[in-house]
Amino acid sequence: MRGVALALGGGGVRGYAHLGVLAVLEEAGVPIRGLAGSSAGALAAAAWAFGHKDPWRVHEAIFDREVAELSRAGSLRALARLFIAFRRPAVVDTDRIEEGLKALFGEARLEESPIPLALQAADLLTGEAVVLREGPVWKAVLASMAIPGLFPPVALMGRLLVDGDVAEKVPVRAAKALFPKVVAVDVSNPPPKEPPRTALEAALLAGEASRRRLKALALKEADVVIALDPPFPIDTFDHERLEFVYELGKHRAKERLPEVLALARTRLRDLLPRR
């Protein structure tokens, strides 16, 4: 069978690049047989599957001034300092985001998706990857985007779920369970070049380094990798970069389009190991 599944990774505003990638593949006639997403990739996967292909429309439906303030806070490191100072269970109240997701997806359920859809979250207590294939789309997206400490965890399936990036930043395994030919889209920032200035920054960088290593292992299982590779770091909530990352996603997809087309044409039986 022709086509590919996509594994869309997390990255905050950089996740809008996924919609640019998908636009290029659609224009090229690549059949999309499955979409797996984590965090921002979960939002992009669900939005595309249910026909919301305009990144500005998706953004306006969900995010409000409170979330926009995150970009003006400077970075997640600055937010972490606010979190410690205020001693709140979460920095952001997600009521507005929840309302936006409900307005965007309505009563749609994951199992009703026109394209097979798998959204990845993580169990806050065990760190286990939790792949959501059934239930309300809005709640699955909310769980997959729930950055620990920043957004409150989401109670679902008898678990407390948080951002899927905690378990696997690019959900390649979830995509392979949908369809065996996988294109992974990694929208990560480049690794930092400067040493940490504070103990808090060092702790945050250590967590990022661990996720980077797990991501590298996951990407080895993909057949084609499209990396956003931004020319400079783009903060998670720098929504002023939306158009830039969308166009960069399109550009990176066009660069790898010959490989994606070749993979899409590959017969499934040719992927099986020979005896």
Side-chain angles (χ1 to χ4, degrees):
M1 181 184 293
R2 296 179 66 247
V4 297
L6 270 72
L8 308 181
V13 73
R14 299 185 302 278
Y16 289 109
H18 294 311
L19 296 179
V21 170
L22 285 160
V24 168
L25 300 190
E26 180 180 65
E27 184 178 357
V30 177
I32 305 300
R33 302 298 182 187
L35 288 169
S38 177
S39 197
L43 173 60
W48 187 271
F50 284 93
H52 305 295
K53 301 180 180 182
D54 182 337
W56 291 270
R57 168 73 183 90
V58 174
H59 177 263
E60 290 173 359
I62 296 170
F63 295 104
D64 64 357
R65 290 182 181 178
E66 183 176 14
V67 176
E69 286 294 329
L70 300 182
S71 62
R72 287 189 282 274
S75 68
L76 285 179
R77 294 180 180 87
L79 287 169
R81 288 193 287 272
L82 287 173
F83 166 68
I84 291 173
F86 293 142
R87 299 186 182 276
R88 296 168 56 180
V91 172
V92 177
D93 185 339
T94 54
D95 286 350
R96 172 64 182 87
I97 296 175
E98 181 177 325
E99 291 173 6
L101 289 171
K102 287 179 178 177
L104 193 65
F105 296 110
E107 300 297 322
R109 297 179 63 83
L110 294 173
E111 61 268 30
E112 299 168 346
S113 173
I115 302 172
L117 192 58
L119 305 187
Q120 180 172 285
D123 188 308
L124 177 61
L125 302 182
T126 68
E128 177 187 4
V130 179
V131 179
L132 304 170
R133 296 290 312 277
E134 298 179 347
V137 175
W138 72 265
K139 194 162 191 177
V141 173
L142 187 66
S144 186
M145 297 195 307
I147 301 173
L150 190 58
F151 300 146
V154 176
L156 191 61
M157 300 172 55
R159 299 173 183 253
L160 281 178
L161 300 183
V162 294
D163 194 303
D165 288 5
V166 170
E168 188 176 68
K169 194 170 184 64
V170 185
V172 175
R173 287 178 292 179
K176 277 192 176 291
L178 298 175
F179 194 72
K181 296 185 286 183
V182 172
V183 176
V185 186
D186 176 23
V187 296
S188 302
N189 266 328
K193 296 181 179 180
E194 297 181 359
R197 293 167 295 181
T198 67
L200 176 59
E201 285 192 4
L204 289 169
L205 287 175
E208 291 173 8
S210 177
R211 287 189 290 274
R212 196 174 296 117
R213 178 177 175 275
L214 291 173
K215 180 193 72 176
L217 293 174
L219 291 179
K220 289 181 180 180
E221 299 184 25
D223 299 290
V224 175
V225 176
I226 298 174
L228 185 62
D229 193 21
F232 49 83
I234 299 173
D235 283 340
T236 300
F237 294 100
D238 188 357
H239 292 286
E240 294 181 0
R241 301 287 186 183
L242 190 158
E243 183 173 4
F244 175 79
V245 297
Y246 178 74
E247 293 298 330
L248 184 58
K250 293 174 70 173
H251 178 70
R252 297 301 188 216
K254 289 175 181 177
E255 289 180 332
R256 307 306 296 270
L257 187 57
E259 295 171 68
V260 176
L261 289 169
L263 176 64
R265 291 192 292 264
T266 302
R267 295 176 298 181
L268 290 178
R269 66 185 184 185
D270 292 338
L271 296 177
L272 299 174
R274 295 182 180 181
R275 296 181 177 178

